[in-house]
Amino acid sequence: MYVLEVKSLTAGYEKLKIVRNINLALERGEILSVLGPNGAGKSTLLNAIFGIARIFEGKVILNGKEINGKKPYEIARLGIGYTPQIQNVFPNLTVEENLELSAFKRNGIDVKKEIESIFKLFPEIERRRRNLAKTLSGGERQMLAMARALISKPSVLLLDEPTAGLSPKATSTLLKKVKEVVELNVSVILVEQNVTKALETSNRVAVLVGGEFVYQGNASELTREDIEKMFFGEKIKQEL
């Protein structure tokens, strides 16, 4: 059984349909990168999965159960963590307070123990645990955002352009963390603009152009040049 399935999904906002006839299946422990030019609908796809965008048609199925129509907080409790590109931490709370706030979504847990466990995965932010989130570097801030999503123990993690605006070094460090996350039995959908890094990080890629998937396949079978050709409408052999 797939951990997450999206079937014939058409979604958008109010009356506007942005992504159309989307089909994908995410296996446990897999990293799927969703690539595409600006305005292709990548963020809308994540928002639809997480209950933010409007679903006109189709289904989103998590661990065998349909989650259409559920509120984002309900979807989070069912096992999807979401890290949007911006406004993903509370800037005027400390690192530790950000994690405490996220951990309290789970009932009957030892919050301090869970936070220490998260710090083992993200030692880079442990040393800043008493600093306000707004004082963190861009890379540290994105690690905190990921940590906030992971402390709820999701089975699926949605990451919306986590490396946007980061230096090459910070980008490499953050994407290395993404690969470590799957060792916690978490599957990841990664929306990413850095095509080369996405191919290095992912098991599979899906290319979204004009609101529709034009390709899905193994990351190892594609080059950056292949992806860029698809961005501009050139077709290659696909596995849809």
Side-chain angles (χ1 to χ4, degrees), residues 2 14 40 129 140 165 180 190 196 204 228 231 235:
Y2 294 111
E14 297 182 355
R129 63 192 301 161
E140 291 168 339
E180 292 175 6
L190 171 68
T196 299
R204 287 191 302 120
E228 290 176 346
F231 285 10
K235 295 183 179 181

Side-chain angles (χ1 to χ4, degrees), residues 103-128:
F104 278 121
K105 295 176 184 177
R106 295 169 55 203
N107 296 322
I109 67 164
D110 185 332
V111 173
K112 289 185 177 180
K113 182 178 179 180
E114 293 296 328
I115 289 175
E116 295 307 318
S117 177
I118 282 290
F119 280 145
K120 289 181 181 179
L121 182 61
F122 296 97
E124 297 87 351
I125 61 172
E126 180 181 16
R127 57 178 176 264
R128 306 290 302 279

